[in-house]
Amino acid sequence: MASQVLVAANRGPLSYAIADDGMLSARRGGGGLVSGLSAALAQQPDAVWICAALSDADREAVRRGVAEPGVRMLDIDPTVYDGAYNGIANSVLWFTHHHLYDIPREPVFDAAFRRHWASYTAYNQAFADALAEEAAEGACVLVQDYHLALVPGQLRELRPDLRIAHFTHTPWASKEFLHMLPDDVREQLVHGMLGADVVGFHTRAWADSFLDGAGRGNVAVFPLGVDADELRALAHRPQVDDKLAQLRAEVGDLKTIVRVDRTELSKNILRGLLAYRELLTVHPEWRGRVVHLASAYPSRQDLKVYRDYTESVRELAAAVNAEFGTADWQPVHVSVKDDFARSLAAYRMADVALVNPVRDGMNLVAKEIPVVSEAGCVLVLSTGAGAYEELRRDALTVNPYDVTETASALHAALSMPGGERAERTKRLAAAATALPPAAWFEAQLSALRP
Ligand code: F6P
Protein backbone atom coordinates (compact mmCIF):
# COMPACT_ATOMS: atom_id res chain seq x y z
CA MET A 1 0.00 0.00 0.00
CA ALA A 2 1.35 3.45 -0.90
CA SER A 3 2.27 5.69 2.06
CA GLN A 4 1.31 9.24 2.95
CA VAL A 5 4.37 9.88 5.15
CA LEU A 6 7.85 8.71 4.20
CA VAL A 7 11.26 9.18 5.74
CA ALA A 8 14.58 8.55 4.03
CA ALA A 9 17.80 8.26 6.02
CA ASN A 10 21.07 6.42 5.53
CA ARG A 11 20.65 4.58 8.82
CA GLY A 12 17.52 2.65 9.61
CA PRO A 13 15.84 1.98 12.95
CA LEU A 14 17.41 -1.48 13.07
CA SER A 15 20.65 -3.11 12.09
CA TYR A 16 21.24 -6.84 11.83
CA ALA A 17 23.94 -9.21 13.01
CA ILE A 18 24.51 -12.70 11.69
CA ALA A 19 25.59 -15.55 13.97
CA ASP A 20 27.87 -18.46 13.03
CA ASP A 21 24.81 -20.67 12.55
CA GLY A 22 23.39 -18.13 10.04
CA MET A 23 20.68 -16.81 12.38
CA LEU A 24 19.93 -13.09 12.00
CA SER A 25 19.26 -10.88 15.00
CA ALA A 26 18.16 -7.24 14.97
CA ARG A 27 19.22 -4.40 17.24
CA ARG A 28 18.41 -0.71 17.43
CA GLY A 29 20.43 1.41 14.95
CA GLY A 30 22.91 3.89 16.46
CA GLY A 31 23.17 7.69 16.56
CA GLY A 32 21.14 10.77 17.45
CA LEU A 33 19.21 10.87 14.21
CA VAL A 34 17.96 7.32 14.67
CA SER A 35 16.78 7.83 18.24
CA GLY A 36 14.99 11.11 17.36
CA LEU A 37 13.30 9.67 14.30
CA SER A 38 12.38 6.38 15.96
CA ALA A 39 10.58 8.25 18.74
CA ALA A 40 8.81 10.51 16.24
CA LEU A 41 7.74 7.66 13.97
CA ALA A 42 6.33 5.65 16.85
CA GLN A 43 3.42 8.12 16.57
CA GLN A 44 3.07 7.66 12.77
CA PRO A 45 2.05 4.03 12.38
CA ASP A 46 1.58 4.13 8.60
CA ALA A 47 4.88 5.82 7.82
CA VAL A 48 7.60 4.10 5.79
CA TRP A 49 11.31 4.52 6.62
CA ILE A 50 13.66 3.95 3.70
CA CYS A 51 17.26 3.25 4.70
CA ALA A 52 20.38 1.59 3.34
CA ALA A 53 21.66 -1.87 4.20
CA LEU A 54 24.87 -0.93 6.03
CA SER A 55 26.55 -4.31 6.41
CA ASP A 56 26.60 -7.80 4.94
CA ALA A 57 24.18 -8.89 7.68
CA ASP A 58 21.75 -6.12 6.67
CA ARG A 59 22.07 -7.18 3.02
CA GLU A 60 21.37 -10.77 3.99
CA ALA A 61 18.28 -9.60 5.91
CA VAL A 62 17.02 -7.83 2.77
CA ARG A 63 17.64 -10.92 0.66
CA ARG A 64 15.78 -13.12 3.14
CA GLY A 65 12.95 -10.58 3.23
CA VAL A 66 13.01 -10.25 7.02
CA ALA A 67 12.74 -6.43 7.20
CA GLU A 68 10.31 -5.04 9.78
CA PRO A 69 6.97 -3.59 8.69
CA GLY A 70 7.32 0.10 7.91
CA VAL A 71 10.99 -0.26 7.00
CA ARG A 72 12.43 -0.72 3.51
CA MET A 73 16.14 -1.40 3.43
CA LEU A 74 17.94 -0.82 0.14
CA ASP A 75 20.49 -3.42 -0.87
CA ILE A 76 23.00 -1.15 -2.59
CA ASP A 77 26.15 -2.59 -4.18
CA PRO A 78 28.83 -2.50 -1.43
CA THR A 79 31.36 -0.63 -3.60
CA VAL A 80 28.81 2.03 -4.50
CA TYR A 81 27.77 2.27 -0.86
CA ASP A 82 31.36 2.62 0.33
CA GLY A 83 32.08 5.38 -2.22
CA ALA A 84 28.93 7.26 -1.21
CA TYR A 85 29.19 6.83 2.58
CA ASN A 86 32.93 6.83 3.28
CA GLY A 87 34.18 8.52 0.10
CA ILE A 88 31.73 11.45 -0.05
CA ALA A 89 29.38 11.71 2.95
CA ASN A 90 32.02 11.11 5.66
CA SER A 91 35.20 12.31 3.95
CA VAL A 92 33.97 15.28 1.93
CA LEU A 93 30.55 16.55 3.03
CA TRP A 94 31.15 15.98 6.75
CA PHE A 95 34.53 17.75 6.56
CA THR A 96 33.08 20.60 4.48
CA HIS A 97 30.10 21.26 6.76
CA HIS A 98 32.18 20.96 9.97
CA HIS A 99 35.20 22.90 8.59
CA LEU A 100 37.51 20.04 9.51
CA TYR A 101 40.01 20.08 6.66
CA ASP A 102 43.71 20.25 7.41
CA ILE A 103 44.02 22.94 4.74
CA PRO A 104 47.69 22.57 3.65
CA ARG A 105 46.90 18.97 2.65
CA GLU A 106 43.15 18.74 2.04
CA PRO A 107 40.78 18.62 0.25
CA VAL A 108 42.06 17.01 -2.95
CA PHE A 109 39.48 16.62 -5.71
CA ASP A 110 40.97 14.07 -8.11
CA ALA A 111 39.89 11.07 -10.19
CA ALA A 112 39.12 9.01 -7.06
CA PHE A 113 36.85 11.80 -5.85
CA ARG A 114 35.01 11.73 -9.19
CA ARG A 115 34.44 7.97 -8.86
CA HIS A 116 33.09 8.46 -5.35
CA TRP A 117 30.86 11.28 -6.53
CA ALA A 118 29.39 8.97 -9.19
CA SER A 119 28.67 6.44 -6.40
CA TYR A 120 27.09 9.12 -4.25
CA THR A 121 24.83 10.12 -7.16
CA ALA A 122 23.81 6.49 -7.78
CA TYR A 123 23.18 5.86 -4.08
CA ASN A 124 20.97 8.99 -3.87
CA GLN A 125 19.15 7.85 -7.02
CA ALA A 126 18.39 4.48 -5.41
CA PHE A 127 16.65 6.32 -2.55
CA ALA A 128 14.77 8.61 -4.95
CA ASP A 129 13.57 5.60 -6.97
CA ALA A 130 12.39 3.75 -3.84
CA LEU A 131 10.59 6.82 -2.50
CA ALA A 132 8.90 7.37 -5.88
CA GLU A 133 7.67 3.78 -5.76
CA GLU A 134 6.40 3.82 -2.18
CA ALA A 135 4.77 7.27 -2.01
CA ALA A 136 1.04 7.84 -2.39
CA GLU A 137 -0.22 10.74 -4.53
CA GLY A 138 0.66 14.03 -2.79
CA ALA A 139 2.50 12.28 0.09
CA CYS A 140 4.94 14.07 2.43
CA VAL A 141 8.56 12.92 2.21
CA LEU A 142 11.14 13.87 4.84
CA VAL A 143 14.70 13.33 3.61
CA GLN A 144 17.45 13.31 6.24
CA ASP A 145 20.97 14.63 6.19
CA TYR A 146 24.05 15.18 4.01
CA HIS A 147 24.08 11.56 2.84
CA LEU A 148 20.96 12.30 0.78
CA ALA A 149 21.45 15.86 -0.44
CA LEU A 150 20.65 15.02 -4.07
CA VAL A 151 17.45 13.10 -3.32
CA PRO A 152 14.99 16.04 -3.25
CA GLY A 153 15.99 17.15 -6.77
CA GLN A 154 16.02 13.58 -8.13
CA LEU A 155 12.65 12.79 -6.55
CA ARG A 156 11.09 16.02 -7.78
CA GLU A 157 11.93 14.89 -11.36
CA LEU A 158 10.22 11.55 -10.81
CA ARG A 159 7.25 12.70 -8.76
CA PRO A 160 6.34 16.40 -9.02
CA ASP A 161 3.18 15.74 -6.96
CA LEU A 162 5.05 15.04 -3.71
CA ARG A 163 5.69 17.45 -0.83
CA ILE A 164 9.39 17.13 -0.02
CA ALA A 165 11.34 18.36 3.02
CA HIS A 166 15.06 17.95 3.60
CA PHE A 167 16.49 18.17 7.11
CA THR A 168 20.22 18.56 7.81
CA HIS A 169 21.39 17.30 11.22
CA THR A 170 24.87 18.81 10.80
CA PRO A 171 25.89 22.44 10.42
CA TRP A 172 25.85 23.83 6.89
CA ALA A 173 29.23 24.90 5.50
CA SER A 174 30.16 28.57 5.33
CA LYS A 175 30.33 29.96 1.80
CA GLU A 176 34.13 29.80 1.93
CA PHE A 177 34.12 26.04 2.61
CA LEU A 178 31.25 25.32 0.21
CA HIS A 179 33.24 27.02 -2.54
CA MET A 180 36.15 24.61 -2.08
CA LEU A 181 33.99 21.99 -3.85
CA PRO A 182 34.37 21.79 -7.63
CA ASP A 183 31.83 24.13 -9.23
CA ASP A 184 29.74 21.44 -10.91
CA VAL A 185 29.58 19.36 -7.72
CA ARG A 186 28.58 22.34 -5.61
CA GLU A 187 25.88 23.22 -8.13
CA GLN A 188 24.51 19.66 -8.11
CA LEU A 189 24.49 19.68 -4.32
CA VAL A 190 22.61 22.96 -4.07
CA HIS A 191 20.24 22.00 -6.89
CA GLY A 192 19.50 18.71 -5.10
CA MET A 193 18.68 20.48 -1.82
CA LEU A 194 16.54 23.08 -3.58
CA GLY A 195 14.36 20.30 -4.96
CA ALA A 196 12.80 20.32 -1.47
CA ASP A 197 9.83 22.55 -0.64
CA VAL A 198 11.32 23.16 2.81
CA VAL A 199 14.99 22.92 3.78
CA GLY A 200 15.28 22.44 7.56
CA PHE A 201 18.12 22.98 10.04
CA HIS A 202 18.60 22.79 13.81
CA THR A 203 19.55 26.46 14.17
CA ARG A 204 19.23 29.83 12.52
CA ALA A 205 23.01 29.97 12.03
CA TRP A 206 23.05 26.86 9.80
CA ALA A 207 19.95 28.01 7.88
CA ASP A 208 21.64 31.36 7.23
CA SER A 209 24.80 29.60 6.00
CA PHE A 210 22.69 27.62 3.57
CA LEU A 211 20.99 30.77 2.23
CA ASP A 212 24.34 32.46 1.95
CA GLY A 213 25.80 29.60 -0.13
CA ALA A 214 22.70 28.72 -2.18
CA GLY A 215 21.49 32.28 -2.72
CA ARG A 216 17.85 31.22 -2.22
CA GLY A 217 15.60 28.56 -0.75
CA ASN A 218 12.70 28.15 1.65
CA VAL A 219 14.56 27.45 4.89
CA ALA A 220 13.07 26.68 8.29
CA VAL A 221 14.51 26.07 11.75
CA PHE A 222 13.40 23.07 13.84
CA PRO A 223 15.71 22.69 16.87
CA LEU A 224 15.39 19.04 17.89
CA GLY A 225 14.98 18.57 21.65
CA VAL A 226 14.59 15.63 24.00
CA ASP A 227 11.55 13.85 25.41
CA ALA A 228 12.07 14.22 29.16
CA ASP A 229 9.72 11.41 30.26
CA GLU A 230 11.14 8.92 27.81
CA LEU A 231 14.75 9.80 28.59
CA ARG A 232 14.23 9.64 32.37
CA ALA A 233 12.48 6.27 32.00
CA LEU A 234 15.41 4.98 29.93
CA ALA A 235 17.86 6.30 32.51
CA HIS A 236 16.12 4.49 35.37
CA ARG A 237 16.01 0.98 33.94
CA PRO A 238 17.60 -1.70 36.12
CA GLN A 239 20.63 -2.12 33.82
CA VAL A 240 21.39 1.61 34.21
CA ASP A 241 21.02 1.33 38.01
CA ASP A 242 23.61 -1.49 37.89
CA LYS A 243 26.03 0.62 35.83
CA LEU A 244 25.53 3.53 38.19
CA ALA A 245 26.44 1.34 41.15
CA GLN A 246 29.59 0.19 39.29
CA LEU A 247 30.59 3.76 38.42
CA ARG A 248 29.96 4.92 41.99
CA ALA A 249 32.19 2.14 43.23
CA GLU A 250 34.95 3.28 40.83
CA VAL A 251 34.61 7.00 41.52
CA GLY A 252 33.46 7.15 45.15
CA ASP A 253 32.07 10.52 46.15
CA LEU A 254 34.47 12.59 44.04
CA LYS A 255 33.05 15.27 41.74
CA THR A 256 32.53 14.24 38.12
CA ILE A 257 33.09 15.99 34.80
CA VAL A 258 31.19 13.96 32.22
CA ARG A 259 31.37 13.89 28.44
CA VAL A 260 29.77 11.40 26.05
CA ASP A 261 30.56 11.50 22.34
CA ARG A 262 31.30 9.39 19.34
CA THR A 263 35.08 9.54 18.83
CA GLU A 264 34.43 12.25 16.33
CA LEU A 265 36.87 14.90 15.16
CA SER A 266 34.31 17.72 15.45
CA LYS A 267 33.63 16.90 19.13
CA ASN A 268 37.00 18.34 20.20
CA ILE A 269 37.74 15.61 22.73
CA LEU A 270 41.49 16.29 22.69
CA ARG A 271 41.15 19.96 23.68
CA GLY A 272 38.69 18.86 26.39
CA LEU A 273 41.41 16.61 27.84
CA LEU A 274 43.99 19.40 27.52
CA ALA A 275 41.63 21.72 29.43
CA TYR A 276 41.23 19.11 32.17
CA ARG A 277 45.02 18.80 32.36
CA GLU A 278 45.31 22.58 32.66
CA LEU A 279 42.65 22.59 35.39
CA LEU A 280 44.70 20.10 37.41
CA THR A 281 47.87 22.13 36.80
CA VAL A 282 46.50 25.60 37.56
CA HIS A 283 44.12 24.49 40.33
CA PRO A 284 45.96 21.71 42.13
CA GLU A 285 43.27 21.83 44.82
CA TRP A 286 41.13 19.65 42.50
CA ARG A 287 43.68 16.83 42.42
CA GLY A 288 42.21 13.80 44.11
CA ARG A 289 38.79 15.48 44.30
CA VAL A 290 37.47 15.17 40.76
CA VAL A 291 37.22 12.52 38.06
CA HIS A 292 36.75 13.06 34.33
CA LEU A 293 34.42 10.39 32.90
CA ALA A 294 34.87 10.46 29.13
CA SER A 295 32.86 8.07 26.97
CA ALA A 296 34.24 8.18 23.46
CA TYR A 297 32.59 5.33 21.65
CA PRO A 298 33.91 4.12 18.27
CA SER A 299 32.76 5.78 15.09
CA ARG A 300 33.66 5.59 11.39
CA GLN A 301 36.61 3.32 12.05
CA ASP A 302 36.84 2.55 8.31
CA LEU A 303 38.56 5.93 7.98
CA LYS A 304 42.19 6.19 9.05
CA VAL A 305 41.79 9.73 10.32
CA TYR A 306 39.16 8.47 12.81
CA ARG A 307 41.31 5.51 13.92
CA ASP A 308 44.22 7.89 14.49
CA TYR A 309 42.00 10.30 16.42
CA THR A 310 40.74 7.49 18.67
CA GLU A 311 44.34 6.52 19.37
CA SER A 312 45.26 10.13 20.19
CA VAL A 313 42.36 10.33 22.67
CA ARG A 314 43.58 7.16 24.39
CA GLU A 315 47.18 8.39 24.47
CA LEU A 316 46.34 11.81 25.88
CA ALA A 317 44.07 10.35 28.57
CA ALA A 318 46.88 7.94 29.52
CA ALA A 319 49.36 10.84 29.65
CA VAL A 320 47.09 12.82 32.01
CA ASN A 321 46.71 9.75 34.22
CA ALA A 322 50.48 9.17 34.20
CA GLU A 323 51.17 12.81 35.10
CA PHE A 324 48.66 13.25 37.93
CA GLY A 325 47.40 9.80 38.97
CA THR A 326 48.20 8.37 42.38
CA ALA A 327 47.82 4.95 43.95
CA ASP A 328 44.21 5.72 44.89
CA TRP A 329 43.14 8.29 42.28
CA GLN A 330 42.77 7.92 38.52
CA PRO A 331 42.03 11.37 37.07
CA VAL A 332 40.49 10.29 33.72
CA HIS A 333 38.32 7.26 33.03
CA VAL A 334 37.94 6.79 29.27
CA SER A 335 35.45 4.29 27.97
CA VAL A 336 35.68 3.50 24.27
CA LYS A 337 32.80 1.01 24.27
CA ASP A 338 29.40 1.84 22.85
CA ASP A 339 27.57 1.31 26.14
CA PHE A 340 24.36 3.34 26.26
CA ALA A 341 23.49 2.18 29.80
CA ARG A 342 26.88 3.33 31.10
CA SER A 343 26.47 6.69 29.34
CA LEU A 344 23.08 7.21 30.98
CA ALA A 345 24.54 6.26 34.37
CA ALA A 346 27.29 8.86 33.81
CA TYR A 347 24.61 11.44 32.93
CA ARG A 348 22.88 10.71 36.25
CA MET A 349 26.02 11.33 38.27
CA ALA A 350 27.30 14.36 36.30
CA ASP A 351 28.30 17.40 38.37
CA VAL A 352 29.70 19.06 35.26
CA ALA A 353 28.86 18.25 31.63
CA LEU A 354 31.57 19.13 29.10
CA VAL A 355 30.26 19.69 25.55
CA ASN A 356 32.90 21.60 23.58
CA PRO A 357 32.59 20.76 19.85
CA VAL A 358 34.38 22.91 17.31
CA ARG A 359 31.25 22.87 15.16
CA ASP A 360 28.22 20.64 15.61
CA GLY A 361 24.69 20.57 14.15
CA MET A 362 22.96 20.37 17.53
CA ASN A 363 24.73 18.12 20.06
CA LEU A 364 21.85 16.47 21.87
CA VAL A 365 24.11 15.39 24.74
CA ALA A 366 24.09 19.03 25.91
CA LYS A 367 20.31 18.74 26.19
CA GLU A 368 20.19 15.22 27.63
CA ILE A 369 22.56 15.58 30.60
CA PRO A 370 20.69 18.43 32.37
CA VAL A 371 17.43 16.45 32.04
CA VAL A 372 18.90 13.32 33.65
CA SER A 373 21.55 14.55 36.11
CA GLU A 374 20.43 13.78 39.65
CA ALA A 375 22.05 16.56 41.63
CA GLY A 376 21.89 19.13 38.82
CA CYS A 377 24.89 19.74 36.61
CA VAL A 378 26.74 22.75 35.27
CA LEU A 379 26.97 22.71 31.49
CA VAL A 380 30.26 23.89 29.97
CA LEU A 381 29.23 24.50 26.37
CA SER A 382 31.21 25.75 23.40
CA THR A 383 30.01 28.36 20.96
CA GLY A 384 30.41 25.73 18.19
CA ALA A 385 27.48 23.56 19.35
CA GLY A 386 24.12 24.05 17.64
CA ALA A 387 22.62 23.82 21.14
CA TYR A 388 24.52 27.02 22.05
CA GLU A 389 21.72 29.11 20.54
CA GLU A 390 19.12 27.71 22.99
CA LEU A 391 21.24 26.91 26.05
CA ARG A 392 23.87 29.64 26.23
CA ARG A 393 22.06 31.73 28.89
CA ASP A 394 22.32 29.02 31.54
CA ALA A 395 25.56 27.35 30.44
CA LEU A 396 29.16 28.45 31.02
CA THR A 397 30.15 29.14 27.44
CA VAL A 398 33.62 28.79 25.94
CA ASN A 399 35.51 29.26 22.70
CA PRO A 400 36.23 25.64 21.68
CA TYR A 401 39.85 26.42 20.74
CA ASP A 402 40.63 28.25 23.98
CA VAL A 403 41.91 25.56 26.32
CA THR A 404 42.70 28.05 29.08
CA GLU A 405 39.19 29.49 28.99
CA THR A 406 37.75 25.96 29.06
CA ALA A 407 39.92 25.08 32.07
CA SER A 408 38.67 28.21 33.90
CA ALA A 409 35.07 27.31 33.03
CA LEU A 410 35.61 23.81 34.45
CA HIS A 411 36.95 25.38 37.65
CA ALA A 412 33.97 27.78 37.85
CA ALA A 413 31.58 24.89 37.18
CA LEU A 414 33.09 22.69 39.91
CA SER A 415 33.00 25.64 42.33
CA MET A 416 29.41 26.78 41.64
CA PRO A 417 27.15 26.86 44.70
CA GLY A 418 24.38 24.21 44.77
CA GLY A 419 21.49 26.71 44.61
CA GLU A 420 22.67 28.41 41.44
CA ARG A 421 23.55 25.10 39.86
CA ALA A 422 20.05 23.71 40.53
CA GLU A 423 18.35 26.82 39.13
CA ARG A 424 20.45 26.74 35.97
CA THR A 425 19.83 23.02 35.50
CA LYS A 426 16.08 23.53 35.77
CA ARG A 427 16.14 26.20 33.07
CA LEU A 428 18.49 24.15 30.86
CA ALA A 429 16.15 21.14 31.12
CA ALA A 430 13.16 23.32 30.19
CA ALA A 431 14.94 24.68 27.11
CA ALA A 432 16.18 21.19 26.19
CA THR A 433 12.68 19.72 26.13
CA ALA A 434 10.96 22.54 24.21
CA LEU A 435 10.68 20.55 20.96
CA PRO A 436 10.78 16.79 21.63
CA PRO A 437 11.14 14.43 18.64
CA ALA A 438 7.43 13.84 18.01
CA ALA A 439 6.69 17.60 18.00
CA TRP A 440 9.82 18.24 15.91
CA PHE A 441 8.56 15.78 13.29
CA GLU A 442 5.00 17.15 13.36
CA ALA A 443 6.30 20.70 12.94
CA GLN A 444 8.07 19.63 9.74
CA LEU A 445 4.97 17.87 8.41
CA SER A 446 2.89 20.99 9.13
CA ALA A 447 5.40 23.18 7.30
CA LEU A 448 5.02 20.88 4.27
CA ARG A 449 1.24 20.64 4.17
CA PRO A 450 -0.47 23.32 2.09
O1 F6P B 1 24.19 14.63 12.66
C1 F6P B 1 24.80 13.75 11.98
C2 F6P B 1 24.51 12.29 12.25
O2 F6P B 1 23.74 11.74 11.25
C3 F6P B 1 23.88 12.04 13.61
O3 F6P B 1 22.51 12.00 13.56
C4 F6P B 1 24.45 10.74 14.03
O4 F6P B 1 24.66 10.68 15.40
C5 F6P B 1 25.73 10.64 13.29
O5 F6P B 1 25.75 11.62 12.29
C6 F6P B 1 25.84 9.27 12.74
O6 F6P B 1 26.93 9.07 12.00
P1 F6P B 1 27.13 7.68 11.32
O7 F6P B 1 25.78 7.25 10.79
O8 F6P B 1 28.11 7.91 10.26
O9 F6P B 1 27.61 6.77 12.39
Side-chain angles (χ1 to χ4, degrees):
M1 198 183 70
S3 294
Q4 287 295 343
V5 175
L6 299 96
V7 165
N10 173 58
R11 275 186 190 272
L14 298 169
S15 61
Y16 292 88
I18 192 157
D20 290 344
D21 64 0
M23 283 286 284
L24 284 168
S25 58
R27 67 177 220 132
R28 203 181 90 137
L33 177 149
V34 168
S35 52
L37 272 184
S38 302
L41 284 178
Q43 327 246 328
Q44 307 272 345
D46 299 327
V48 168
W49 182 330
I50 304 209
C51 58
L54 305 181
S55 62
D56 288 342
D58 283 358
R59 286 187 198 96
E60 187 55 30
V62 177
R63 284 169 205 154
R64 290 190 203 168
V66 299
E68 297 290 303
V71 179
R72 177 163 165 197
M73 240 183 211
L74 304 179
D75 180 1
I76 293 166
D77 175 85
T79 311
V80 171
Y81 183 75
D82 183 61
Y85 177 69
N86 283 318
I88 299 295
N90 290 346
S91 298
V92 175
L93 298 180
W94 186 271
F95 277 65
T96 303
H97 288 320
H98 291 86
H99 300 179
L100 290 175
Y101 285 123
D102 177 10
I103 297 295
R105 294 182 179 79
E106 307 166 309
V108 173
F109 298 120
D110 56 4
F113 165 76
R114 288 289 164 178
R115 279 196 300 279
H116 294 154
W117 184 252
S119 292
Y120 182 78
T121 307
Y123 154 91
N124 272 249
Q125 191 65 52
F127 274 81
D129 292 345
L131 288 163
E133 248 172 68
E134 301 279 346
E137 178 74 20
C140 290
V141 181
L142 278 73
V143 181
Q144 308 296 308
D145 248 345
Y146 51 95
H147 311 93
L148 301 178
L150 304 182
V151 166
Q154 294 167 329
L155 184 57
R156 174 77 57 215
E157 290 275 315
L158 296 168
R159 292 286 305 271
D161 59 298
L162 301 178
R163 310 286 304 163
I164 306 171
H166 187 283
F167 190 88
T168 297
H169 292 258
T170 61
W172 188 265
S174 69
K175 201 171 184 174
E176 196 187 340
F177 273 78
L178 199 66
H179 278 251
M180 289 178 186
L181 295 173
D183 288 353
D184 60 321
V185 166
R186 185 181 65 255
E187 278 156 21
Q188 288 172 51
L189 196 68
V190 168
H191 173 79
M193 295 287 287
L194 290 175
D197 297 287
V198 180
V199 182
F201 296 91
H202 281 307
T203 74
R204 191 70 247 166
W206 313 143
D208 287 346
S209 279
F210 178 81
L211 284 178
D212 195 31
R216 67 203 155 89
N218 179 23
V219 297
V221 177
F222 304 102
L224 178 62
V226 303
D227 180 328
D229 292 340
E230 199 211 327
L231 187 62
R232 289 196 187 111
L234 278 175
H236 286 86
R237 287 168 306 158
Q239 61 266 50
V240 180
D241 291 337
D242 291 348
K243 293 281 177 183
L244 184 63
Q246 275 173 29
L247 277 178
R248 271 280 163 235
E250 277 172 41
V251 167
D253 57 1
L254 306 187
K255 293 233 182 211
T256 58
I257 299 172
V258 170
R259 75 174 307 140
V260 175
D261 309 278
R262 291 185 294 112
T263 44
E264 163 54 55
L265 281 62
S266 61
K267 305 290 181 186
N268 206 18
I269 302 170
L270 292 174
R271 287 193 195 83
L273 286 166
L274 291 176
Y276 183 61
R277 179 162 82 185
E278 192 155 318
L279 170 82
L280 298 177
T281 307
V282 176
H283 294 283
E285 68 272 24
W286 288 114
R287 293 183 196 169
R289 290 176 53 214
V290 63
V291 164
H292 185 16
L293 293 176
S295 293
Y297 53 91
S299 181
R300 304 187 187 165
Q301 296 290 305
D302 286 346
L303 300 183
K304 181 174 183 304
V305 62
Y306 279 74
R307 295 196 296 274
D308 291 349
Y309 188 73
T310 308
E311 202 37 48
S312 304
V313 168
R314 277 210 192 91
E315 278 169 12
L316 184 53
V320 174
N321 282 334
E323 188 176 348
F324 298 100
T326 61
D328 50 13
W329 175 57
Q330 183 183 323
V332 189
H333 294 229
V334 174
S335 160
V336 291
K337 275 210 324 230
D338 187 0
D339 183 343
F340 188 47
R342 185 184 190 276
S343 300
L344 288 171
Y347 285 10
R348 281 173 61 181
M349 64 196 280
D351 293 303
V352 177
L354 176 57
V355 182
N356 65 326
V358 290
R359 194 173 160 92
D360 202 335
M362 172 52 80
N363 209 315
L364 273 185
V365 171
K367 293 186 166 182
E368 290 170 347
I369 301 185
V371 170
V372 172
S373 77
E374 289 182 348
C377 69
V378 185
L379 175 63
V380 174
L381 180 66
S382 72
T383 53
Y388 172 79
E389 216 163 274
E390 294 167 277
L391 304 184
R392 72 194 148 88
R393 270 168 241 88
D394 290 298
L396 302 185
T397 62
V398 296
N399 165 349
Y401 307 99
D402 189 340
V403 166
T404 299
E405 185 188 31
T406 308
S408 312
L410 290 175
H411 173 63
L414 289 166
S415 313
M416 189 179 284
E420 183 184 348
R421 173 169 135 159
E423 281 305 312
R424 283 178 185 253
T425 306
K426 217 189 297 166
R427 290 192 297 265
L428 286 170
T433 51
L435 194 63
W440 170 80
F441 194 83
E442 266 307 324
Q444 291 177 71
L445 284 180
S446 306
L448 266 189
R449 288 181 177 132

